[in-house]
Amino acid sequence: MRRFKLSRAFTLIEPGPVVLVTTHDGGKNNVMTISWTMVVDFTPRYAITTGEWNYSFAALRKSRECVIAIPTVDMLDQVVGIGTCSGRDTDKFDGFKLTPVRGRFVKAPLIKECLANIECKVVDIVRRHNIVVLEGLVAYMDIARKDRRTIHGVGDGTFIVDGRRLDRRRMMASKIPEGI
Amino acid sequence: MRRFKLSRAFTLIEPGPVVLVTTHDGGKNNVMTISWTMVVDFTPRYAITTGEWNYSFAALRKSRECVIAIPTVDMLDQVVGIGTCSGRDTDKFDGFKLTPVRGRFVKAPLIKECLANIECKVVDIVRRHNIVVLEGLVAYMDIARKDRRTIHGVGDGTFIVDGRRLDRRRMMASKIPEGI
């Protein structure tokens, strides 16, 4: 994994792929599958929706840090498996053959098998809506990976794989942040 | 446009497509392009990130209602055009050949050309993060439309088109809300 420009990290979240969010509760690693994510600022800040119904939430709230990891289509069955069991009674890194990699700023692990990873700190928890606001600290990309197609959870048990990419950079020039 | 089950409407937002958000300020219609969206509840509730930098925000805040319309890939140039000009000096419905359709609960118009439309009311504005929380009131789908591929803004001027759909309904069974 190589460092990926932090100012570009929002481009990993903005297309809306399903992501994995890792935490470390002081004793052990855990990881959850999240489709409910949103960019909220270029600084970069991201929101995710989570709460007590996710076992990871306690670690997120206590440690106030996590890693957002971006899986690709070849990881779909791992992503679904991770999303349908709980860290309460499962070591998901072990069970789903994920390799934890030590991060630079946070104790939550990066996931070696993912296309990209973003170390994040929690900047706010909006309890009345179960929205957690994160700030990206450093980002990484596996530049050796050939298939970079991500997957989009529909919410009904189906997933849409990235198709082709259309370029509207010229039309969009006035709206693209500098250096992107 | 046919009515679409409101409890399924989150499946239109969850995959993360770029959406159009229409408003009515008491005098005129407007529409903005938004990539920063997130499902926050099945009830259904959605969050969008917007603020003073969008001309539509004043109408959204004042009227406390809007329509989320889901465009498809054939509408990409309209979507980009709408996102790169302002309702302050442009009649976007006229300029981008969008047909406004009267909604049932809100004054903001549905967009006839879109795949789906969701009438929404504003339930909260989290000012410190520019997050607007919406509740869906009624949803519609253009069931006659053949090409239902949506588009995902990357944020760098490129867009990813929906590719193929993978089915993991059996694996996901425990996590899919009833009736979806």
Side-chain angles (χ1 to χ4, degrees), chain A residues 8 10-12 14-17 35-42 45 47-49 54 73 76-77 80-81 83-85 123-126 128-131 133 149 151-169 171-172 174-177 180, chain B residues 8 10-12 14-17 35-42 45 47-49 54 73 76-77 80-81 83-85 123-126 128-131 133 149 151-169 171-172 174-177 180:
Chain A
R8 282 185 59 87
F10 78 96
T11 64
L12 301 165
E14 182 153 328
S35 269
W36 295 2
T37 71
M38 167 171 77
V39 178
V40 292
D41 201 347
F42 295 112
R45 285 195 174 182
I48 65 175
T49 299
N54 281 322
V73 61
L76 177 59
D77 288 330
V80 173
T84 49
C85 69
V123 293
D124 196 13
I125 300 180
V126 184
R128 67 186 183 280
H129 299 299
N130 300 302
I131 293 173
V133 179
R149 289 176 303 158
I151 38 183
H152 303 263
V154 175
D156 62 355
T158 67
F159 293 82
I160 296 167
V161 184
D162 284 351
R164 67 200 189 98
R165 192 182 282 244
L166 301 175
D167 188 338
R168 292 296 183 277
R169 269 178 281 220
M171 271 181 88
M172 289 275 293
S174 65
K175 289 287 182 177
I176 302 171
I180 298 302
Chain B
R8 280 185 61 86
F10 78 94
T11 64
L12 301 166
E14 182 153 329
S35 269
W36 295 1
T37 72
M38 167 171 76
V39 179
V40 292
D41 202 348
F42 295 111
R45 286 196 174 180
I48 65 174
T49 300
N54 281 321
V73 61
L76 177 58
D77 288 331
V80 174
T84 50
C85 69
V123 293
D124 195 14
I125 300 180
V126 184
R128 67 186 182 280
H129 299 299
N130 301 301
I131 293 173
V133 179
R149 289 176 304 158
I151 38 182
H152 304 262
V154 175
D156 62 356
T158 66
F159 293 82
I160 296 167
V161 184
D162 284 351
R164 67 200 191 98
R165 191 182 283 243
L166 302 175
D167 188 339
R168 291 296 182 279
R169 270 178 279 220
M171 270 182 87
M172 289 274 295
S174 66
K175 289 288 183 175
I176 302 171
I180 298 302

Side-chain angles (χ1 to χ4, degrees), chain B residues 88-168:
Chain B
R88 192 183 303 277
D89 50 27
T90 311
D91 178 338
K92 300 199 208 181
F93 271 83
D94 197 43
F96 294 102
K97 301 193 190 313
L98 300 177
T99 312
V101 175
R102 185 188 289 262
R104 190 169 161 180
F105 296 113
V106 306
K107 291 205 173 67
L110 315 178
I111 300 176
K112 189 180 173 206
E113 289 74 16
C114 281
L115 170 64
N117 284 270
I118 311 169
E119 295 185 37
C120 297
K121 68 174 181 185
V122 173
V123 293
D124 195 14
I125 300 180
V126 184
R127 292 303 294 264
R128 67 186 182 280
H129 299 299
N130 301 301
I131 293 173
V132 178
V133 179
L134 304 171
E135 185 159 307
L137 303 173
V138 60
Y140 310 85
M141 172 77 79
D142 179 0
I143 57 163
R145 181 179 266 278
K146 280 180 194 155
D147 191 347
R148 298 185 177 203
R149 289 176 304 158
T150 66
I151 38 182
H152 304 262
V154 175
D156 62 356
T158 66
F159 293 82
I160 296 167
V161 184
D162 284 351
R164 67 200 191 98
R165 191 182 283 243
L166 302 175
D167 188 339
R168 291 296 182 279

Side-chain angles (χ1 to χ4, degrees), chain A residues 103-150:
Chain A
R104 191 170 160 177
F105 295 113
V106 306
K107 292 205 174 65
L110 315 176
I111 300 176
K112 188 180 175 206
E113 289 75 16
C114 282
L115 171 64
N117 284 271
I118 311 170
E119 295 184 37
C120 297
K121 67 175 182 186
V122 173
V123 293
D124 196 13
I125 300 180
V126 184
R127 291 304 294 265
R128 67 186 183 280
H129 299 299
N130 300 302
I131 293 173
V132 178
V133 179
L134 304 170
E135 185 160 307
L137 303 173
V138 59
Y140 310 85
M141 172 76 81
D142 178 0
I143 56 163
R145 182 177 266 278
K146 280 179 195 156
D147 191 348
R148 297 186 178 203
R149 289 176 303 158
T150 66

